[in-house]
Amino acid sequence: MTQISSEQVQAPEVLVSSAFDKAWRFVEKDPLLAHNHKAVLHSRLRASLECSIRNGERNALHLANEAIRNLRAELAFSTKQ
């Protein structure tokens, strides 16, 4: 019998919230990201999480890590332009 973790059956909004909290603990202390406006970081982080959920990801830790990678790549790219 296959076991399903609670993270796999969470509603998308609960999953976004859980993953956001995990990611935010890192983002707010990351020297590459912390200098950005909080509102921008919040918005871009949430958008990345929602996109990954729409693409089928349901693991909060994977969601958080992917959102952090996306945020770092996006903001690093925008500062080089």
Side-chain angles (χ1 to χ4, degrees), residues 4-53:
I4 299 174
S5 74
S6 63
E7 286 183 342
Q8 291 175 316
V9 295
Q10 288 178 338
E13 59 276 358
V14 174
L15 194 52
V16 167
S17 179
S18 174
F20 184 92
D21 291 343
K22 289 177 189 308
W24 188 253
R25 286 191 298 262
F26 178 85
V27 168
E28 69 183 344
K29 295 176 184 163
D30 183 351
L32 295 177
L33 298 173
H35 68 279
N36 290 283
H37 292 287
K38 270 189 174 183
V40 170
L41 294 172
H42 274 249
S43 173
R44 299 309 307 144
L45 190 59
R46 180 166 287 281
S48 180
L49 290 167
E50 290 170 348
C51 180
S52 291
I53 287 173

